Amino acid sequence: MKELSIKTKSRDELVDITYSVQKTVGEEKINGGLCIIYCPHSTAAVTINENADPSVKDDILKFLRRIVPADAGYAHAEGNSDAHIKASLMGNSRIVPISNGKLVLGTWEGIFFCEFDGPRSRKLLVSVLGK
Amino acid sequence: MKELSIKTKSRDELVDITYSVQKTVGEEKINGGLCIIYCPHSTAAVTINENADPSVKDDILKFLRRIVPADAGYAHAEGNSDAHIKASLMGNSRIVPISNGKLVLGTWEGIFFCEFDGPRSRKLLVSVLGK
Amino acid sequence: MKELSIKTKSRDELVDITYSVQKTVGEEKINGGLCIIYCPHSTAAVTINENADPSVKDDILKFLRRIVPADAGYAHAEGNSDAHIKASLMGNSRIVPISNGKLVLGTWEGIFFCEFDGPRSRKLLVSVLGK
């Protein structure tokens, strides 16, 4: 299990982590298997989506801001209930098959760390199964 | 890792893939383990839900159309931003335990490929861990 | 694979199952690996979020009730279509890394069984991979 460090710059942000995850997979020198990307933070998440046109990321964030407003009379008094809700909606991990030592992703796909309560220093855990 | 091919017929659609996934698991001749169903497309997803009454699928699709309208002033200009958002909401993979060589699903449950930008030819990857 | 039994008390409820899952992991006497928590019910789910302030759970449930109303002209006639939709939104499983025999969770995090159509007797399956 390897740990990746991420510094986010905005309150909400999708950070492309595909290269770092692939590098970790490459270091394991396996051929086929599975890669698990896990976020141990309850106001952040992991998703996979298009990374060719950056406006896809913007549309996802804008959608989440609309359905989970920052201020909606939440009971949790720390001002980040929206971030907790967004984290559960997106999910805190992703699993990606590995073939020929590479993450199997669609042509236009990338793996994104989803920050919902930044800017912060975050970490991600990458586990690799296979041989 | 086995690849399944799927031809979808509508713009959005939940396709029951339980039989094909179980067939792939059966070919591995294992007793217990885990099955990972992975969709390498950023406008499609995988979910598990009731497959007894087909109206459950319809209600899920109708709900998603309501909260993620097809046209909502998106920045991504390809006309399928809603499909990208729906894909991240549902998630691009599912993991299912295997016991006695069978997928462990609830009595009324099925595994569904979620098409959000069809009709298209799609593929799914099925990985099986176990012995 | 171990089975956990859960009795829920309300129609919708987030039940903290962290202790039971950790106990199951401990019994496996492994050092590092992965734990998969799987819910074989199509009107329930599993999520990971803050368990320090219980109002986070309340905010998540209140949000889900708002975007997925109990009565919205659903086609499925059993009166629990909202529960099926919420289950697919949250997802029916979570995967958590194990290090030094312990689940790797953030400081304030817990694992929650999400009941959306209770009260009911439910079960959860916990699989552990590792050595």
Side-chain angles (χ1 to χ4, degrees):
Chain A
M1 191 157 57
K2 291 272 175 67
E3 194 176 308
L4 303 179
S5 295
I6 298 171
K7 273 195 188 297
T8 59
K9 293 168 191 165
S10 314
R11 176 142 204 272
D12 60 355
E13 185 182 355
L14 262 61
V15 182
D16 184 356
I17 55 171
T18 317
Y19 177 81
S20 305
V21 177
Q22 176 58 56
K23 195 160 165 275
T24 304
V25 169
E27 285 161 9
E28 297 291 318
K29 300 196 186 309
I30 64 160
N31 182 49
L34 294 164
C35 175
I36 294 93
I37 306 110
Y38 175 80
C39 164
H41 303 286
S42 62
T43 54
V46 186
T47 199
I48 296 174
N49 218 303
E50 177 173 333
N51 72 348
D53 175 5
S55 65
V56 171
K57 295 191 299 183
D58 298 339
D59 286 339
I60 292 172
L61 289 171
K62 195 175 162 192
F63 163 78
L64 289 171
R65 276 180 227 130
R66 179 171 63 76
I67 62 156
V68 197
D71 187 357
Y74 298 112
H76 182 56
E78 293 178 21
N80 63 356
S81 242
D82 63 319
H84 286 290
I85 294 167
K86 289 170 184 171
S88 273
L89 277 178
M90 289 290 105
N92 66 332
S93 69
R94 288 288 105 202
I95 187 164
V96 181
I98 299 164
S99 180
N100 299 317
K102 304 253 181 210
L103 294 163
V104 180
L105 292 167
T107 317
W108 314 108
E109 285 191 325
I111 307 170
F112 295 96
F113 177 81
C114 308
E115 174 63 84
F116 296 126
D117 192 30
R120 291 202 196 202
S121 291
R122 300 289 204 172
K123 64 181 180 182
L124 267 182
L125 299 172
V126 180
S127 302
V128 175
L129 299 175
K131 59 189 175 183
Chain B
M1 192 156 58
K2 290 274 175 66
E3 193 175 309
L4 303 180
S5 294
I6 298 170
K7 273 196 187 296
T8 59
K9 293 168 192 165
S10 313
R11 178 146 202 269
D12 60 356
E13 185 182 355
L14 262 61
V15 182
D16 184 356
I17 55 172
T18 318
Y19 177 82
S20 305
V21 177
Q22 176 58 56
K23 194 159 166 274
T24 304
V25 169
E27 286 161 7
E28 296 293 318
K29 302 197 185 308
I30 63 161
N31 182 49
L34 293 164
C35 176
I36 293 92
I37 306 110
Y38 175 80
C39 164
H41 303 287
S42 62
T43 54
V46 185
T47 198
I48 296 174
N49 218 302
E50 177 172 333
N51 72 349
D53 176 4
S55 66
V56 170
K57 294 190 300 185
D58 299 337
D59 285 339
I60 293 172
L61 289 170
K62 196 175 161 189
F63 163 78
L64 289 171
R65 276 181 226 128
R66 179 172 62 76
I67 63 157
V68 196
D71 187 356
Y74 298 112
H76 182 56
E78 292 178 22
N80 62 356
S81 243
D82 63 318
H84 286 289
I85 294 167
K86 290 170 184 172
S88 275
L89 276 179
M90 289 290 104
N92 66 331
S93 70
R94 288 287 104 201
I95 187 164
V96 181
I98 298 163
S99 179
N100 298 317
K102 303 255 181 209
L103 294 163
V104 181
L105 292 167
T107 317
W108 313 109
E109 285 191 326
I111 308 170
F112 295 96
F113 177 80
C114 308
E115 173 63 84
F116 296 127
D117 192 30
R120 291 201 196 204
S121 292
R122 301 289 204 171
K123 65 181 178 180
L124 268 181
L125 299 173
V126 179
S127 302
V128 175
L129 299 175
K131 58 190 175 182
Chain C
M1 191 157 57
K2 291 272 175 67
E3 193 176 309
L4 303 179
S5 294
I6 298 171
K7 273 196 188 296
T8 58
K9 293 167 190 163
S10 313
R11 176 143 203 272
D12 59 355
E13 185 182 354
L14 262 60
V15 181
D16 184 356
I17 54 171
T18 318
Y19 177 82
S20 306
V21 178
Q22 176 57 58
K23 194 159 166 276
T24 303
V25 169
E27 286 161 8
E28 297 293 316
K29 302 196 186 308
I30 63 160
N31 182 48
L34 294 165
C35 175
I36 293 93
I37 306 110
Y38 175 80
C39 164
H41 303 287
S42 62
T43 54
V46 186
T47 198
I48 296 174
N49 218 302
E50 177 173 333
N51 71 349
D53 176 5
S55 65
V56 170
K57 294 190 300 184
D58 299 338
D59 286 339
I60 292 172
L61 289 171
K62 196 175 161 191
F63 163 78
L64 289 170
R65 277 181 226 128
R66 179 172 62 77
I67 62 157
V68 196
D71 187 356
Y74 298 112
H76 182 55
E78 293 178 21
N80 63 355
S81 243
D82 62 318
H84 286 290
I85 294 167
K86 289 170 184 172
S88 274
L89 276 179
M90 290 289 105
N92 65 332
S93 70
R94 288 287 105 201
I95 187 164
V96 181
I98 297 164
S99 180
N100 298 318
K102 305 253 181 211
L103 295 163
V104 181
L105 292 166
T107 317
W108 314 109
E109 284 190 325
I111 307 170
F112 295 96
F113 176 81
C114 308
E115 173 63 83
F116 295 127
D117 192 31
R120 291 201 196 203
S121 292
R122 301 288 204 172
K123 64 180 180 181
L124 268 182
L125 299 172
V126 180
S127 302
V128 175
L129 300 175
K131 56 188 177 182

